[in-house]
Amino acid sequence: VQLQASGGGLVQAGGSLRLSCAASGLSFSNYHMAWFRQAPGKEREFVGVMVGNGAVTSYAESAEGRFTISRDNAKNKVYLQMNSLKPEDSAVYFCAAGLLMPTVTRRPDYWGQGTQVTVSS
């Protein structure tokens, strides 16, 4: 299984970024897809999750109202649209996959490599 995240970069506060995660080696639509982030010196934290069929999403309080997860099961991709970015959103963002809810929000079955997001003030 491979999860390849991309789309990170440097953005000014108030700006937007869209992260992508391409999955391979798994039956994508069966997996709930989650995003996590980790800032320097901090623990990795849950950002949000979308269930396999795309019907339900759930977000951390820090992401609610600003971030949106979507997925394209035909392309084996999941996305994280981030709007109204703040400097405290700066972190390495990871996509992850899991078969079980809510376990995927704490212990995903698979992790991708991270992509750096830096928000300047």
Side-chain angles (χ1 to χ4, degrees), residues 11-15 37 61-64 66-67 82-91 93 117-121:
V11 63
Q12 287 189 331
R37 68 185 183 185
E61 186 174 339
S62 59
E64 188 75 54
R66 299 187 300 125
F67 294 4
M82 303 185 293
N83 299 328
S84 302
L85 283 162
K86 306 174 183 179
E88 51 264 43
D89 293 319
S90 296
Y93 283 71
V117 172
T118 303
V119 184
S120 63
S121 58

Side-chain angles (χ1 to χ4, degrees), residues 34-76:
W35 288 93
F36 293 78
R37 68 185 183 185
Q38 187 167 20
K42 295 187 177 182
E43 292 186 356
R44 191 172 298 189
E45 65 173 358
F46 168 76
V47 173
V49 63
M50 174 171 272
V51 300
N53 64 7
V56 176
T57 53
S58 179
Y59 299 94
E61 186 174 339
S62 59
E64 188 75 54
R66 299 187 300 125
F67 294 4
T68 303
I69 297 174
S70 60
R71 63 191 292 161
D72 185 337
N73 285 351
K75 295 182 178 179
N76 285 11

Side-chain angles (χ1 to χ4, degrees), residues 4-25:
Q4 183 80 27
S6 61
L10 174 64
V11 63
Q12 287 189 331
S16 298
L17 275 177
R18 187 193 194 208
L19 306 184
S20 299
C21 175
S24 61

